[in-house]
Amino acid sequence: MKEYFDKAIELAELGVKNLEGGPFGAVIVKDGKIVGYGNNKVLKEKDPTAHAEVMAIRDACKKLNTHDLTGCVIYTTSEPCPMCLSAIIWSNIKEIYFATDRKEVAKIGFRDDMIYNYLENKEKDILEIHQVENKKCYELLENYNNELY
């Protein structure tokens, strides 16, 4: 486990040094081998979804030529934010190891708690959501045959 955290830390440090994004790194491991690497690249990519965990998932999927990371484990320097946690769940990773938590991340200015509070219905005024009726959208769902999964 130490080698995986060492690599995640190395990635986080490199990302900060290169002004790519926040101090976060992640690796994905399958069968004892690192198959995906990622560090926060939000600034470099000008992409708010370019978090370390998402970048590691993208890398592992590309290397393994799949969208399904069943059997993989993710090691990340900090507790995954809600977006990253969702990406981890969608990719079928069932095990996460992290070091610092959301409270420690908040101390350096990251807003994960705002999203967690929104999801727990504690904070309502950060987003307006509107559902609209659209027959074509329903037809898309009805006609989908689910061959990908």
Side-chain angles (χ1 to χ4, degrees):
M1 182 181 314
K2 182 182 180 321
E3 71 179 279
Y4 307 139
F5 272 108
D6 286 348
K7 186 61 178 177
I9 291 165
E10 178 186 320
L11 290 165
E13 290 173 337
L14 185 63
V16 170
K17 178 183 173 187
N18 293 335
L19 304 175
E20 294 178 329
F24 307 106
V27 296
I28 295 176
V29 176
K30 185 168 188 169
D31 300 324
K33 180 182 175 197
I34 296 176
V35 295
Y37 299 89
N39 64 284
N40 185 296
K41 293 188 178 185
V42 168
L43 300 176
K44 178 183 179 187
E45 301 292 328
K46 296 175 182 47
D47 177 356
T49 69
H51 290 199
E53 296 89 346
V54 171
M55 300 304 287
I57 288 169
R58 291 172 182 168
D59 186 47
C61 288
K62 187 175 184 179
K63 286 178 179 167
L64 297 174
N65 195 32
T66 184
H67 67 280
D68 185 348
L69 297 179
T70 296
C72 293
V73 178
I74 189 165
Y75 296 82
T76 182
T77 57
S78 290
E79 180 179 6
C81 74
M83 177 188 68
C84 292
L85 187 59
S86 295
I88 290 165
I89 292 167
W90 275 113
S91 68
N92 290 320
I93 294 173
K94 304 291 186 205
E95 202 169 354
I96 303 169
Y97 291 90
F98 67 89
T100 61
D101 65 21
R102 65 180 93 162
K103 291 176 182 72
E104 291 156 323
V105 170
K107 290 177 187 175
I108 63 168
F110 288 85
R111 309 174 298 167
D112 296 7
D113 275 344
M114 176 185 67
I115 301 169
Y116 280 110
N117 288 339
Y118 178 81
L119 293 172
E120 295 168 3
N121 292 316
K122 295 178 186 174
E123 195 165 334
K124 295 283 191 187
D125 60 347
I126 64 169
L127 183 64
E128 288 186 36
I129 298 177
H130 308 279
Q131 184 174 9
V132 297
E133 183 72 28
N134 189 306
K135 186 177 178 182
K136 285 286 190 190
C137 293
Y138 291 105
E139 288 173 6
L140 284 169
L141 293 178
E142 289 172 6
N143 294 329
Y144 180 68
N145 61 13
N146 200 18
E147 290 179 12
L148 295 176
Y149 297 96

